[in-house]
Amino acid sequence: MASQSNGTNGQLYADENASITAEKQKSGVSKDVFVEDEAHQIQYKTLSWQFVSLLMIAEIVSNGMLSLPSALAVVGIVPAVILIVFLGIFGLYTAKLLVDFKLNHPSVHTMGDAGYIMFGPVARELLAFGTVAFAVFGSGSELLSSQQALSTLSNQGMCSMYLVIISGAICFLISLPRTLDRLAWMGLLSAAVITLAGFIAMIGAGDNPVPERSLTVTASSNFYDAFLAVTNPVRTFFSLRLITDRFFMLISEMRRPQDAMKAAWCLQGFATAFYAAFSIVVYVYIGNTVQSPALFSLPPAWSKATFGIALANFLFSSGLYTHTAAKLVFVRIFRHSEHIYSHTLLGWTVWIMLCFAGTSIAVILAIAVPIFSYLIGIAASLFAAWYTYGLAGFFWLHDVYHLKGGTDGIKRRPIGATLAVLTILAGAFICAAGTYVSIKLIVEAYKTGAVGRPFFC
């Protein structure tokens, strides 16, 4: 069978028995990570692009938006909104690079697989570890949001440590389905409730404006304070672009991977517009005293209503993050084996153990590590900066070099090459600056005594 053309427009490789290029020899396999066969008991390629967009919205438009209004108080409305819109557009561009790379390399299931194709086995292990670590950290972050919601609803009537454990048990059950289509309808509900929660919060802020509030349209600030402020929207778009790694997994389970950009357009358009609207409305009515999360700035009744609605999204997002970490390890262990496609005892035992381990680690981090929230910032800076931006530039350079004529192919595309290099530099800058700010925050927290104790209510 003759190999198909493998251009950057996303045409698929034919199969691993076709004419083998040097790159295929390096990557080991070229066939799709999930093979379609009606005889398989477990079918993976079942998602439509609509449900992919809902799953991403459910995971991304979550507690991230709640910290955005506070950024406006530091850098001002205009710079913050420009940043949100810019990152949304930039995220759409990098999503296109990711989709093209995935379609050119069907064997890619995670960022680790992509790293192996581009840089070799060391990159595979490093990027795979980063994906698992960030997914577990993301799960723990959502557990803390669930704990805040439950504490607010119960008027702090139960030890927060126990609330995290209860939330973890629910998230463990959510993570258990082996295929993402089993979570799709829950994703629809989750996307709906977080959207509704955002509108309720905006209504609550508008109905209870802060008297004599002060607003900042633009503000001058030093690098540390400014970058600290924009860290919130940047982290939000980091989560959005865990789409980079989450998106690889989601595309792998799509019926038509060619429709992946439709999901990206839907997500980026909705998230960018919703982030901007939510942050502006809440900030305009509350002003510079707005807290993070913003729901704590609402009157108690409105805060409880919003947290109560958003709780389902926090729990689902935590379970989805755990599912991501477990799926990466599971596929790495059993790729193309019967345990992937059949209901075997070993397969289900390992899967349940991985989900339990991911949830347990997230729970322990949330209740036993006083600086956990700061560690999330470090993880975002070290890994998500590259998943979000830097590696997307390498995707373009790699495929143009290998599939479009080597160095001459890159020279014939000066605009694309420039954008790719700028994308890589953006990832490097955010990685370095974000790590610096996060470490400085930890040092200051210890100096001021803001760090709590482990296993403390």
Side-chain angles (χ1 to χ4, degrees):
M1 178 178 179
S3 175
Q4 296 179 9
S5 172
N6 300 315
T8 53
N9 61 354
Q11 290 177 290
L12 304 180
Y13 285 98
D15 59 49
E16 61 185 323
N17 295 318
S19 299
I20 300 178
T21 64
E23 182 185 339
K24 288 182 184 178
Q25 290 176 327
K26 180 180 180 181
S27 62
V29 294
S30 61
K31 66 180 180 181
D32 203 316
V33 61
F34 295 125
V35 178
E36 293 184 90
D37 190 332
E38 293 182 0
H40 289 161
Q41 293 176 325
I42 302 176
Q43 300 289 337
Y44 288 90
K45 302 183 83 58
T46 55
L47 289 176
S48 65
W49 69 265
Q50 292 93 339
F51 274 117
V52 168
S53 61
L54 286 171
L55 285 169
M56 291 191 293
I57 288 172
E59 184 180 22
I60 291 152
V61 185
S62 185
N63 61 356
M65 73 174 185
L66 303 181
S67 60
L68 285 173
S70 62
L72 275 64
V74 179
V75 299
I77 297 176
V78 174
V81 172
I82 290 175
L83 177 65
I84 292 172
V85 174
F86 170 76
L87 289 175
I89 296 172
F90 201 7
L92 192 61
Y93 163 71
T94 54
K96 178 63 168 63
L97 301 184
L98 179 145
V99 171
D100 284 347
F101 190 84
K102 166 63 180 175
L103 295 180
N104 285 330
H105 311 275
S107 64
V108 171
H109 181 240
T110 67
M111 194 62 71
D113 294 334
Y116 181 62
I117 289 175
M118 293 188 297
F119 306 117
V122 175
R124 175 175 61 184
E125 304 305 332
L126 180 62
L127 294 176
F129 169 79
T131 301
V132 173
F134 196 81
V136 172
F137 275 46
S139 179
S141 176
E142 297 289 352
L143 289 177
L144 288 179
S145 296
S146 300
Q147 175 263 309
Q148 289 177 333
L150 291 171
S151 294
T152 301
L153 292 171
S154 64
N155 295 318
Q156 286 73 43
M158 182 181 289
C159 174
S160 59
M161 181 174 65
Y162 298 147
L163 294 178
V164 172
I165 294 173
I166 293 171
S167 299
I170 298 172
C171 295
F172 167 67
L173 296 176
I174 292 173
S175 69
L176 284 177
R178 289 266 291 272
T179 57
L180 287 169
D181 66 311
R182 302 291 184 180
L183 298 174
W185 289 104
M186 198 179 300
L188 172 61
L189 173 64
S190 181
V193 298
I194 195 60
T195 304
L196 177 60
F199 280 112
I200 295 296
M202 288 188 281
I203 294 172
D207 191 53
N208 300 274
V210 174
E212 300 180 357
R213 59 195 176 277
S214 60
L215 301 176
T216 303
V217 178
T218 59
S220 59
S221 181
N222 59 44
F223 169 80
Y224 172 72
D225 290 335
F227 196 86
L228 175 61
V230 303
T231 293
N232 285 328
V234 168
R235 282 181 188 167
T236 298
F237 277 89
F238 280 160
S239 297
L240 179 74
R241 296 295 300 126
L242 246 195
I243 281 187
T244 40
D245 217 348
R246 285 284 301 141
F247 211 12
F248 275 148
M249 293 185 173
L250 289 165
I251 297 173
S252 296
E253 298 192 34
M254 288 182 67
R255 287 195 297 266
R256 282 182 48 81
Q258 299 86 348
D259 291 337
M261 275 307 297
K262 295 178 182 178
W265 274 99
C266 181
L267 168 68
Q268 295 284 38
F270 175 84
T272 302
F274 195 71
Y275 285 156
F278 178 84
S279 56
I280 291 173
V281 171
V282 172
Y283 175 68
V284 165
Y285 284 108
I286 296 178
N288 288 333
T289 59
V290 64
Q291 301 180 52
S292 179
L295 301 188
F296 288 138
S297 298
L298 301 176
W302 286 98
S303 180
K304 287 184 178 181
T306 309
F307 265 127
I309 294 171
L311 178 60
N313 174 266
F314 299 153
L315 294 171
F316 175 79
S317 298
S318 181
L320 195 56
Y321 275 121
T322 300
H323 179 99
T324 297
K327 181 69 72 65
L328 185 153
V329 178
F330 187 79
V331 172
R332 179 71 179 273
I333 296 172
F334 294 122
R335 185 186 289 242
H336 299 313
S337 74
E338 63 170 338
H339 304 293
I340 290 284
Y341 303 106
S342 302
H343 296 292
T344 64
L345 177 61
L346 177 60
W348 273 106
T349 300
V350 172
W351 174 254
I352 293 172
M353 289 176 62
L354 289 172
C355 292
F356 182 78
T359 304
S360 299
I361 295 172
V363 168
I364 292 172
L365 287 171
I367 65 179
V369 181
I371 60 170
F372 176 59
S373 60
Y374 301 103
L375 294 181
I376 295 173
I378 293 178
S381 300
L382 290 177
F383 295 106
W386 291 105
Y387 296 155
T388 303
Y389 300 115
L391 289 174
F394 283 117
F395 292 159
W396 188 92
L397 292 172
H398 176 276
D399 275 6
V400 170
Y401 180 85
H402 285 281
L403 307 176
K404 288 292 184 177
T407 303
D408 289 338
I410 295 175
K411 290 179 179 179
R412 289 195 300 268
R413 297 166 174 82
I415 296 178
T418 301
L419 289 175
V421 172
L422 290 176
T423 299
I424 295 169
L425 293 177
F429 169 75
I430 296 175
C431 175
T435 303
Y436 163 75
V437 168
S438 298
I439 293 175
K440 189 172 181 179
L441 279 173
I442 294 175
V443 174
E444 291 183 354
Y446 273 106
K447 285 183 178 179
T448 59
V451 177
R453 290 182 293 169
F455 300 107
F456 185 68
C457 289

